[in-house]
Amino acid sequence: MRKEPEAYFITLIHTMGFLKEEMARFYSHWHFKSGAHGFVTYTLDKEHQPEAFRELPTVFALSKGILIMRGSLAECEAKLPELEKKYNAITVHRWDLISEEGDMGDRKNRGHVIDFVRVDQEEFALGVRFQIRGDFAPYNGVSPIPREERAPSNAYQKLGEAFKHFRPLVAHDDVFLDIGCSPGGSTYYLLKKGYRVIGVDPQQVDAKIREDFSEGFLQLKQKYDDLKSKHLKGFPPVNWVVFDVDTNSLEALESLLKLVSKLDECNGIIMTIKMDKGFQMSELDEIDRLALNYDFVEVRKGLLPSHEKEFCLVLTKTE
Ligand SMILES: C[S@@+](CC[C@H](N)C(=O)[O-])C[C@H]1O[C@@H](n2cnc3c(N)ncnc32)[C@H](O)[C@@H]1O
């Protein structure tokens, strides 16, 4: 009997439930097969090529590919050369999801990669995945962005991950409105990259921001709910908005979109959606509907490796 095609997804341990919920809602023709240590497999309704499979929108997977086999270390090692040849693989990534270590191959180039994954104590899996620059390698909870000692919070790494993965089209002299900017990790990241930042937060930012950057930053000490476009008159026009406030995301998105619709030069929004603030899977559709209503043409959503209680939403006006 012919084996049904299978796919694997790598997610964070605490987002496995969200991934399963997402699959049940948007890919109900796939059937859950197994899930442990953030490695989740599904049987598929038909064959998919890795490149096309990568394009399918999934929010709660850090990466995904076509499962080739599961077996012992020796069985997988024996199969590996044949697979590398068959897919003309540019590299092999070896992952140990138990001890959360990896031996990464080429992560910069575009092409087929073979994931060689230890998924359980004695069990391994081989899969093929299509990689593009910016894709996260399948590891758990470790940020690919190096820590910055002086950054006031780990939102420095979080925004770094969002830039790495979503590669927003930002010009070197762009101005960011950083809403919920305190204590200042995301602002620190943006200033370090040379962008100008208008922070919005009733709380003061950490002193290191002004110590390390003598210019390029100013703060509006107020809530974003009270922010009107007229408060931004006299400031350089805003090109991007970063929003990182612990709040009900959908309500916040709606008021944010209203504000942004009055900022003529604003091209995009990078927002964190908090899953521990009453998030429902149905909101994924609602986000698309709202964004399209406000003339955003591209809506992208995805997990960031170091944050399992939120995902990142990137909206842009130009594709
Ligand atoms: C998760 S922290 C943001 C971390 C920050 N982005 C960083 O890089 O360090 C959330 C921030 O949102 C701020 N905040 C809460 N309600 C707000 C509101 N209505 N308007 C603006 N900021 C708000 C809080 O004061 C807090 O500093």
Side-chain angles (χ1 to χ4, degrees), residues 68-69 76 78-89 114-115 126-128:
I68 305 294
M69 66 173 283
C76 290
K79 180 83 175 170
L80 181 61
E82 177 196 324
L83 272 189
E84 286 186 81
K85 196 159 167 225
K86 177 172 174 193
Y87 288 100
N88 199 12
I114 307 295
D115 280 326
L126 279 179
V128 59

Side-chain angles (χ1 to χ4, degrees), residues 162-176:
F163 267 69
K164 174 179 160 61
H165 185 58
F166 294 102
R167 304 171 77 78
L169 280 176
V170 180
H172 70 279
D173 55 351
D174 271 358
V175 174
F176 280 74

Side-chain angles (χ1 to χ4, degrees), residues 161-229:
E161 289 167 29
F163 267 69
K164 174 179 160 61
H165 185 58
F166 294 102
R167 304 171 77 78
L169 280 176
V170 180
H172 70 279
D173 55 351
D174 271 358
V175 174
F176 280 74
L177 189 68
D178 186 1
I179 298 179
C181 65
S182 174
S186 48
T187 288
Y188 200 98
Y189 180 85
L190 294 167
L191 290 169
K192 200 172 162 217
K193 287 208 133 205
Y195 306 122
R196 288 170 288 165
V197 180
I198 304 167
V200 180
D201 200 308
Q203 303 290 329
Q204 187 65 271
V205 290
D206 189 289
K208 291 194 216 64
I209 297 283
R210 289 192 175 85
E211 285 164 15
D212 293 5
F213 303 96
S214 56
E215 52 187 38
F217 176 71
L218 48 91
Q219 184 180 356
L220 296 169
K221 277 179 90 181
Q222 64 177 88
K223 291 183 163 187
Y224 79 91
D225 332 337
D226 306 326
L227 186 67
K228 303 271 178 294
S229 54

Side-chain angles (χ1 to χ4, degrees), residues 12 20 48 64 71 78 97 122 130 146 165 206 211 217 221 238 243-244 257 271 293:
L12 301 166
K20 284 163 80 173
H48 290 263
K64 57 180 184 277
L97 295 181
E122 300 299 326
F130 194 78
H165 185 58
D206 189 289
E211 285 164 15
F217 176 71
K221 277 179 90 181
V238 170
F243 184 96
D244 186 22
L257 286 165
M271 178 175 184
N293 265 351

Side-chain angles (χ1 to χ4, degrees), residues 3 49-50 52 118 208 226 280 290:
K3 200 172 154 280
Q49 291 308 311
R118 182 179 175 215
K208 291 194 216 64
D226 306 326
Q280 308 271 323
L290 271 175

Side-chain angles (χ1 to χ4, degrees), residues 270-282:
I270 302 173
M271 178 175 184
T272 51
I273 305 284
K274 316 285 174 181
M275 277 110 74
D276 56 355
K277 299 277 171 213
F279 169 77
Q280 308 271 323
M281 216 38 75
S282 57

